[in-house]
Amino acid sequence: MESFTRKLLTIVTEAALETVLVQDVEKLGAHGYTITDARGKGHRGARSAGWETDANIRLEVVCDEPTAERIAAYVRDHYYENYAMILFISDVSVLRPEKF
Amino acid sequence: MIDPVILFFLLGAAAGLLRSELRLPAAVYELVTIVLLLSIGLKGGIELARQPFGALVPQMLAVVVMGFALALLAFPVLRYIGRLKRADAASIAAHYGSVSVGTYAVAVAYLGSREVAFEEHMPLLLVLLEVPAILVGIVLARGFSRGTRWGSVAHEVFGGKGIVLLMGGLFIGWIAGPDGLSSIEPLFFDLFKGILALFLLEMGLITAAQIGGLRRHGLFLVAFGIAMPLFSGLIGAGLGTVLGLSLGGTAMLATLAASASYIAVPAAMRMSVPDANPTLSLAASLGVTFPFNVLLGIPIYYSIATWIHG
């Protein structure tokens, strides 16, 4: 089966950012995204999702490499300083490249 | 006699401090909050159906002014005595100018168990008090000019579940009236204290989780978290008396003035003043002021109101 390589961009951050982050990601060229609730611990402390201001989300986008880099750069410039956030990019194989 | 709902709060706090496994599922906590907000809104709406709206306008304007004033008074204390960063001082000031629905609900239970009546349109004033301090906080932190996205601030504030459900409850109660609501009374009114008990159990757990933040940021926040509500409570009691509220209404307005937000304001500040450290403001409002108000504050504000009404 033929498969194509695309980038999987994963952002784990505060749930408070969800609305603006989704707008940013779509504006920067993502065709879609997936959000899941998340909890964990980082250097800004444990975020246990016990209630609203303590909740985290994981936002995943499958896209081509330029889009992934554009989103990563934008998010780094706008949110890294003040928000609990990590971001990583990995290679994934997809079957329908035109979707991403 | 200590109210059983307070014992639930203490149970939650003790469980949290002992690092118990206890945790209310997020969806249950969400539901409990929704029911509380709606039942508070509905109660107020019923009262709005009974009296002409125009008569309430002076009170409404007065509490909005109080919301602005409390945040403006808190700011210099935080900035110059507490020596906090500008953004942090502005954010904490916004928390203390705004209100906590949870504290209001405990005051409802407190006055209810003493059979003290209060003006039932209080939830309308509660909604009005949520907003002004948020605006003050943003302007204090960033000034008017520097590209605040006011559109998204408005969306954050007015689209938040607190305002939507309180306003929604007010409207439903207003339109349906006391007779129309009798069919849903069992859930929203009869179960109020049981729901409040569950809410306070979770609040106890959340409060206990703030202690860490408090330990790091020290004595000033503890002192502020107790002194500020006492001061605001006095202002609220004074305003209530000037507005001609009953004994219960005065105690209620004092409680509203004294309470500090921990839902609407943190969300709005996170978006609009991102450089403010949320650990500081939550440690103060949740770690100090909420438990103080629930355990000691409300009886104190009630005594102040009784004393003024002498």
Side-chain angles (χ1 to χ4, degrees):
Chain A
M1 193 163 49
E2 194 186 4
S3 69
F4 304 83
T5 304
R6 286 291 178 270
K7 293 293 180 189
L8 169 65
L9 174 86
T10 308
I11 302 174
V12 180
T13 189
E14 305 174 21
L17 273 183
E18 179 172 326
T19 321
V20 285
L21 205 54
V22 161
Q23 284 170 2
D24 294 339
V25 163
E26 291 202 295
K27 206 171 59 198
L28 293 167
H31 295 168
Y33 55 84
T34 304
I35 293 176
T36 37
D37 293 329
R39 56 200 161 93
K41 185 176 177 182
H43 86 278
R44 291 186 195 245
R47 302 189 51 86
S48 52
W51 59 305
E52 296 91 338
T53 56
D54 201 21
N56 269 4
I57 52 166
R58 178 174 52 206
L59 176 94
E60 289 167 308
V61 181
V62 180
C63 54
D64 55 26
E65 193 165 352
T67 310
E69 281 170 5
R70 205 157 53 232
I71 296 175
Y74 181 90
V75 159
R76 181 194 60 208
D77 295 346
H78 285 79
Y79 302 117
Y80 265 28
E81 192 186 345
N82 291 320
Y83 293 95
M85 176 180 279
I86 59 165
L87 175 154
F88 47 89
I89 298 173
S90 39
D91 287 331
V92 287
S93 299
V94 299
L95 299 179
R96 296 170 296 173
E98 71 281 359
K99 251 181 97 68
F100 310 102
Chain B
M1 230 341 253
I2 187 162
D3 197 306
V5 296
I6 304 298
L7 295 174
F8 276 84
F9 177 72
L10 293 174
L11 171 64
L17 290 175
L18 295 170
R19 299 180 188 283
S20 144
E21 292 288 301
L22 175 65
R23 213 176 131 176
L24 230 56
V28 173
Y29 172 70
E30 185 95 344
L31 177 71
V32 162
T33 330
I34 289 173
V35 173
L36 279 185
L37 287 164
L38 277 174
S39 57
I40 288 170
L42 288 168
K43 267 261 162 66
I46 293 179
E47 183 59 25
L48 291 184
R50 287 205 191 103
Q51 55 176 301
F53 192 71
L56 298 176
V57 172
Q59 283 184 23
M60 292 162 64
L61 289 176
V63 299
V64 168
V65 172
M66 181 175 81
F68 281 115
L70 289 177
L72 285 171
L73 287 170
F75 179 74
V77 176
L78 292 156
R79 182 91 171 95
Y80 300 110
I81 301 178
R83 295 172 183 283
L84 292 170
K85 281 195 324 186
R86 185 176 188 87
D88 287 324
S91 163
I92 300 177
H95 284 70
Y96 280 82
S98 187
V99 284
S100 138
V101 179
T103 312
Y104 174 84
V106 176
V108 170
Y110 180 85
L111 293 181
S113 62
R114 276 160 190 74
E115 298 184 348
V116 177
F118 61 92
E119 284 77 0
E120 296 275 1
H121 63 267
M122 230 13 112
L124 180 64
L125 306 185
L126 173 73
V127 176
L128 289 172
L129 266 174
E130 289 231 38
V131 186
I134 296 177
L135 305 180
V136 174
I138 295 172
V139 171
L140 282 174
R142 318 178 38 148
F144 282 103
S145 53
R146 267 192 287 154
T148 305
R149 293 186 188 167
W150 288 106
S152 49
V153 171
H155 182 259
E156 193 66 42
V157 173
F158 293 104
K161 81 174 166 204
I163 297 222
V164 169
L165 290 172
L166 282 173
M167 291 291 286
L170 279 167
F171 275 117
I172 294 173
W174 192 2
I175 294 165
D179 301 333
L181 287 185
S182 57
S183 58
I184 53 170
E185 246 180 48
L187 173 59
F188 288 104
F189 300 154
D190 300 351
L191 287 183
F192 182 77
K193 284 195 84 171
I195 301 276
L196 181 61
L198 279 179
F199 171 79
L200 285 175
L201 180 65
E202 175 69 12
M203 286 308 293
L205 289 165
I206 293 174
T207 296
Q210 304 301 320
I211 303 294
L214 215 51
R215 203 174 288 150
R216 259 173 286 135
H217 299 291
L219 265 181
F220 171 75
L221 280 186
V222 177
F224 180 82
I226 292 172
M228 183 68 201
L230 287 172
F231 171 73
S232 317
L234 268 178
I235 292 187
L239 182 66
T241 313
V242 172
L243 291 172
L245 297 181
S246 65
L247 166 64
T250 305
M252 215 38 139
L253 194 59
T255 306
L256 285 182
S259 70
S261 170
Y262 53 83
I263 295 180
V265 179
M269 286 300 129
R270 204 70 199 99
M271 290 317 301
S272 321
V273 189
D275 44 333
N277 179 356
T279 317
L280 286 180
S281 44
L282 285 175
S285 80
L286 265 177
V288 182
T289 303
F290 183 80
F292 171 75
N293 277 336
V294 164
L295 299 174
L296 300 171
I298 292 171
I300 294 175
Y301 312 134
Y302 179 60
S303 315
I304 295 176
T306 317
W307 175 68
I308 295 181
H309 281 253

